[in-house]
Amino acid sequence: MTVTTNDHTETTDVIICGCGPTGALLSALLGQRFVNNVVLELEKEVVTDPRGIALDEEGIRLLQQIGVYDKVHSEIGETLGRIHFISGKQGLITEPFMEMDMSSTEGGTGHVGAICHKQPVMEEYIRQSARRCPSSVLRLGATIMEIQEDGNWVRAKYLDDHGKERWIRAKFFVGADGKTGFTRKRYLEPKGVVLETVSGYEYQETWVAVNYHMDLPTPETHPDFPLWKLNHTPEDVYDAFFPTGFRFIGNPDRPSVCGTFGPRKERLWRFEFVVDVDKGEDPNEMATYEKMSEVIFPYLTHPGQRYGLNAAVQYPTDCMHLLRSRPFSFSARSCNKWSVGRVLLCGDSAHVMPPFGGQGIASGFRDAAGVAWRLALACRPDFKGSHERLFNGWCLERKQQLDRSIAVTVANGNLTTARSPLKIFVRDWILCFMRLVPSFRRKIELGPRALGMVRYQWKDGMAFLPDLAGGRCLPQVYCRSVLLADKGDPPPVQFTDDVIFHPESKSTLRLVVLVDNLEQAGEAHSELASLDLATASNGEVGTDEACYLVMSPECQLQQPSNILRQRVYRIATGEEFQSSTLCENRPPPVGYDMYRIKTDLGGRKYVLVRPDRFVFAACYTGQELVEACRRISRILFPSSEGGTAKL
């Protein structure tokens, strides 16, 4: 809901500039928390060009949070599968010197490691999620013209989709309008905000990104194609030339990356290659059909001996429809400040990175998740804390996580872009040795997931209690209610996020109670009833909204009782998930650990979780929980004098 004042200035809580993936997700997350927000976006429709094509499991978890999980593996994309690192000496069929398995479920979110998605479809579903929230307004075709700011408000002038000049004011303004957008370039850079090179990774190169849509050749359309005589079907031909998974091609002459994206049935293919500007190559010229064909078509040409033929076999080029060929400059850079006064930056406005880790969209998603609940706090009428310190804590946390994302990018980039013969020789031999050791080989296959889930190293201003195991990302597993469903049917399998963060819950921090059986659940329920957590937490925690999670898949179904009128669930096995509708169109949960929450939290009983799925505090006893609740106000509503320093 927005309000128009007498001077025709519209008023809302948050203005979001940009409705790309980050801005749209932020609007949806704010809408879930009933924070009024207006999104101003220049384009009237979703941009149809698929720019980003990979999303990791944390990104999938956030799509789940806004209610579009059912579209992830059906319309948005499919599992990335295996990432193959190859030399490219024999084209795309070259034996990999290293592989990562993105289809397993070992990262702690309950999801596969990554999907290859069709960005326009994903963006449209994120926008639909935002539009379902009465608090969110998407204003497309709006051109931002000016930003003004005082101590209490941010005012923005924009042209609406009819070219009419309008003003809108809000408590906060979030720039999610990209690295060349108005917010940073025109408003914050004059205030000292600079996009700086990330220390330790001075990577900066230009690549050409090419998108294709493929038709299937048939005996009717291409009667002379030689593989028909070998009984290949059109689908066989497509699978042979465009194998599943992604390939990082460590060709020392021209490093490249390629793979299918979106639902495989749509036959979309991405190929990216480096432009050697040191040798005088012009990026725009390399993006022309003639030049990029010289780079790409050899990879789509197989030696004839592979099929027992004398001549080489090339995929019919008239079946390849070029959708996009554009040069891009890639670098690892981050702004020195992500917030100034009441104006904040998210996504590419705040940071950019090379494409080797598939972390671009995912990093913007994490920005939105981390700032959304803080904006909800700062927009409260009774908020008395320092929003500068609140958002500074967000910046501190996100930059730690961004460093981790860049580390993934660095590792993949080094594997792909090595050009020195000595470095390539050493790389291949080290990886060959590591693949002989099962434990090393599995860590290689896990890729960045081998590092475990994110855990922040505490700094003053961060919103968690480090002495009570705070700052770690809460794992997600599968669960089922312990109550009998209607007509005696077994209850459905669910994700734990969906029961912990129940939409009816009002508390800022959600209380999760981890127990081994129903008897312990009853004891915990009695203990919580004796604790006045509402008073201790100033209403930020409610015991009546607690979620009880029984760490036993053998917990028997029960009829309702006093404790079971609460939300009580037991963990579910991988087999139960595999047979559920949640597993449709995706691989079974190989490597899934249903005890992951208990293991990561070291057997602690009471867990306070932030809306962005990070642990605020985890406690062994009720008394520890009370003490944690008493410290909430000092952490979530920091004073300008630095009231969070004493933990």
Side-chain angles (χ1 to χ4, degrees):
M1 179 181 178
T2 60
V3 177
T4 301
T5 63
N6 292 332
D7 63 354
H8 304 291
T9 297
E10 185 181 12
T11 298
T12 189
D13 289 326
V14 179
I15 301 169
I16 302 170
C17 184
C19 198
T22 300
L25 180 72
L26 178 57
S27 178
L29 294 173
L30 290 174
Q32 285 184 335
R33 300 190 66 81
F34 308 103
V35 178
N36 294 321
N37 67 93
V38 174
V39 183
L40 303 177
E41 165 60 42
L42 174 63
E43 301 292 339
K44 294 185 178 182
E45 303 290 342
V46 170
V47 177
T48 58
D49 181 21
R51 292 143 290 160
I53 57 175
L55 186 69
D56 68 10
E57 60 187 306
E58 291 181 40
I60 301 171
R61 190 178 188 180
L62 286 166
L63 292 179
Q64 171 201 334
Q65 181 176 343
I66 62 172
V68 298
Y69 176 75
D70 61 324
K71 307 298 182 184
V72 169
H73 296 282
S74 59
E75 298 180 44
I76 293 174
E78 61 182 33
T79 302
L80 187 58
R82 301 186 78 85
I83 299 177
H84 309 268
F85 293 82
I86 64 175
S87 66
K89 294 178 180 178
Q90 298 177 5
L92 303 185
I93 60 175
T94 306
E95 186 70 19
F97 58 81
M98 192 184 89
E99 290 183 307
M100 293 181 186
D101 182 9
M102 294 290 107
S103 63
S104 69
T105 313
E106 298 179 58
T109 67
H111 296 300
V112 297
I115 61 169
C116 48
H117 63 83
K118 190 175 179 181
Q119 183 175 338
V121 176
M122 180 177 70
E123 284 193 41
E124 181 56 43
Y125 279 115
I126 297 174
R127 290 186 181 189
Q128 289 183 19
S129 178
R131 289 188 179 104
R132 287 194 293 269
C133 302
S135 303
S136 298
V137 177
L138 306 188
R139 200 154 290 164
L140 308 180
T143 305
I144 191 78
M145 304 294 291
E146 184 179 348
I147 300 173
Q148 299 177 358
E149 184 179 0
D150 59 32
N152 299 312
W153 298 98
V154 180
R155 300 175 76 245
K157 181 171 72 173
Y158 69 97
L159 297 180
D160 66 15
D161 58 344
H162 299 294
K164 185 176 180 180
E165 185 178 294
R166 296 184 179 276
W167 282 93
I168 184 171
R169 70 173 186 174
K171 296 177 181 177
F172 299 99
F173 185 105
V174 180
D177 47 346
K179 60 183 179 181
T180 61
F182 184 97
T183 309
R184 194 192 78 238
K185 296 294 291 183
R186 300 284 297 278
Y187 183 71
L188 288 181
E189 285 190 0
K191 294 178 177 290
V193 174
V194 180
L195 193 61
E196 301 175 325
T197 300
V198 176
S199 176
Y201 192 45
E202 285 74 29
Y203 177 89
Q204 187 158 357
E205 282 193 293
T206 299
W207 288 56
V208 171
V210 184
N211 288 344
Y212 285 104
H213 172 261
M214 307 298 179
D215 284 338
L216 294 180
T218 68
E220 291 75 26
T221 60
H222 297 77
D224 297 329
F225 190 66
L227 297 189
W228 306 140
K229 296 178 181 180
L230 302 178
N231 297 319
H232 280 60
T233 67
E235 289 76 14
D236 292 337
V237 172
Y238 179 75
D239 291 341
F241 283 88
F242 304 99
T244 58
F246 241 72
R247 279 159 177 76
F248 285 74
I249 306 170
N251 184 336
D253 295 326
R254 195 180 299 278
S256 307
V257 182
C258 71
T260 58
F261 64 96
R264 187 166 176 81
K265 62 184 179 182
E266 296 189 18
R267 298 190 298 277
L268 297 169
W269 193 61
R270 165 72 61 85
F271 195 102
E272 299 179 2
F273 61 89
V274 72
V275 177
D276 199 335
V277 293
D278 291 337
K279 292 184 178 180
E281 290 184 346
D282 177 79
N284 291 312
E285 183 183 3
M286 293 304 297
T288 62
Y289 184 85
E290 179 183 3
K291 289 295 185 180
M292 64 89 175
S293 297
E294 292 176 1
V295 175
I296 297 173
F297 286 178
Y299 288 104
L300 301 178
T301 304
H302 292 175
Q305 58 264 34
R306 183 184 183 193
Y307 305 101
L309 302 172
N310 293 325
V313 182
Q314 185 182 59
Y315 194 83
T317 57
D318 60 341
C319 289
M320 302 173 59
H321 302 289
L322 182 64
L323 301 178
R324 183 269 293 269
S325 180
R326 289 178 55 191
F328 288 92
S329 294
F330 293 125
S331 60
R333 304 174 74 189
S334 175
C335 286
N336 58 332
K337 299 177 183 178
W338 290 14
S339 65
V340 177
R342 293 182 174 271
V343 178
L344 302 87
L345 295 173
C346 278
D348 288 350
S349 298
H351 47 75
V352 294
M353 63 184 69
F356 310 119
Q359 292 292 305
I361 293 177
S363 293
F365 277 14
R366 296 183 191 107
D367 294 347
V371 80
W373 67 273
R374 289 173 165 94
L375 283 167
L377 287 180
C379 287
R380 287 184 183 179
D382 60 347
F383 181 78
K384 303 298 183 183
S386 165
H387 63 265
E388 288 92 348
R389 285 186 57 81
L390 183 68
F391 296 135
N392 182 61
W394 163 67
C395 296
L396 291 172
E397 291 181 358
R398 281 296 301 122
K399 286 196 174 186
Q400 283 191 11
Q401 205 169 10
L402 189 69
D403 287 343
R404 179 182 172 123
S405 298
I406 289 175
V408 172
T409 301
V410 170
N412 287 351
N414 288 340
L415 289 168
T416 306
T417 61
R419 301 189 186 186
S420 163
L422 178 60
K423 286 185 178 180
I424 292 173
F425 176 81
V426 172
R427 174 200 69 190
D428 291 353
W429 272 102
I430 290 176
L431 289 172
C432 180
F433 170 76
M434 293 179 70
R435 291 172 70 183
L436 296 176
V437 181
S439 59
F440 286 163
R441 183 172 65 248
R442 190 57 191 147
K443 286 185 177 181
I444 291 174
E445 288 184 338
L446 286 174
R449 291 175 293 168
L451 300 173
M453 301 194 78
V454 172
R455 183 176 181 180
Y456 295 132
Q457 298 299 311
W458 186 82
K459 291 184 178 180
D460 182 26
M462 292 184 174
F464 59 86
L465 300 179
D467 56 315
L468 291 177
R472 66 189 71 200
C473 189
L474 181 74
Q476 175 175 238
V477 298
Y478 318 131
C479 66
R480 295 184 111 150
S481 172
V482 300
L483 281 174
L484 286 168
D486 294 339
K487 301 179 181 179
D489 296 329
V493 175
Q494 297 176 265
F495 291 109
T496 48
D497 279 3
D498 294 340
V499 300
I500 294 171
F501 298 91
H502 195 274
E504 295 178 2
S505 299
K506 306 299 182 184
S507 303
T508 300
L509 302 178
R510 305 299 166 88
L511 175 59
V512 184
V513 183
L514 306 178
V515 293
D516 292 325
N517 50 55
L518 285 177
E519 181 180 357
Q520 290 183 8
E523 293 170 354
H525 181 258
S526 298
E527 182 176 29
L528 289 176
S530 68
L531 305 174
D532 190 359
L533 298 185
T535 299
S537 67
N538 277 341
E540 303 300 331
V541 177
T543 56
D544 57 332
E545 297 177 351
C547 176
Y548 296 77
L549 191 58
V550 181
M551 294 290 145
S552 171
E554 287 81 29
C555 183
Q556 299 298 312
L557 294 172
Q558 303 287 324
Q559 296 292 342
S561 62
N562 186 38
I563 173 61
L564 293 180
R565 290 192 180 91
Q566 307 294 317
R567 290 198 285 272
V568 184
Y569 303 84
R570 55 91 171 167
I571 55 176
T573 65
E575 291 75 16
E576 288 177 295
F577 177 81
Q578 185 175 348
S579 62
S580 74
T581 57
L582 295 178
C583 199
E584 289 180 357
N585 302 311
R586 57 152 284 180
V590 174
Y592 162 68
D593 179 5
M594 61 183 166
Y595 299 106
R596 183 67 181 265
I597 296 178
K598 181 178 181 179
T599 301
D600 278 20
L601 291 172
R604 292 173 175 84
K605 188 174 184 178
Y606 299 115
V607 188
L608 294 175
V609 190
R610 303 183 335 196
D612 59 356
R613 281 50 176 168
F614 278 84
V615 174
F616 177 83
C619 309
Y620 289 107
T621 67
Q623 188 54 45
E624 277 188 348
L625 178 61
V626 171
E627 291 302 315
C629 287
R630 288 172 178 163
R631 297 158 68 183
I632 289 175
S633 293
R634 193 161 65 245
I635 302 298
L636 299 190
F637 305 96
S639 68
S640 58
E641 288 76 26
T644 64
K646 293 184 178 180
L647 292 175

